[in-house]
Amino acid sequence: MAICEHLSHADDPAAQTPEGCAECLASGSRWVHLRRCLECGHVGCCDSSPNKHATQHFHSTGHPVIQSFEAGEEWRWCFVDNQMA
């Protein structure tokens, strides 16, 4: 299976909030794992977290690709094509 266009053209921006999920930090909420948007650097929490901010970020912005923001993990996910790389 070929890698989708979004994954093959994803950038590598700096994390906007390297200390954690931007929305959870602002509200005092908690997260399970972190994901970084590869278009703007937004850091959001995963879908196992109560607020699912990474997915909410995709729905509000249309930015298609996230990367795990966990130590030792390099995988990327395209929301548009439901594909991992």
Side-chain angles (χ1 to χ4, degrees), residues 70-81:
E70 297 295 318
E73 294 184 359
E74 297 291 325
W75 60 264
R76 296 174 175 203
W77 172 258
C78 176
F79 286 105
V80 174
D81 296 312

Side-chain angles (χ1 to χ4, degrees), residues 26-58:
S27 69
S29 192
R30 63 178 183 82
W31 60 81
V32 177
H33 299 287
L34 298 172
R35 311 293 181 234
R36 177 176 53 113
C37 172
L38 293 186
E39 188 157 327
C40 70
H42 172 269
V43 176
C45 54
C46 70
D47 284 357
S48 295
S49 300
N51 296 301
K52 304 176 184 181
H53 288 123
T55 297
Q56 287 181 25
H57 177 75
F58 162 68

Side-chain angles (χ1 to χ4, degrees), residues 10-34:
D11 290 328
D12 193 17
Q16 291 179 4
T17 54
E19 62 276 7
C21 173
E23 292 84 0
C24 288
L25 289 167
S27 69
S29 192
R30 63 178 183 82
W31 60 81
V32 177
H33 299 287
L34 298 172

Side-chain angles (χ1 to χ4, degrees), residues 56-73:
Q56 287 181 25
H57 177 75
F58 162 68
H59 288 298
S60 67
T61 65
H63 296 167
V65 180
I66 57 170
Q67 182 173 28
S68 175
F69 199 60
E70 297 295 318
E73 294 184 359

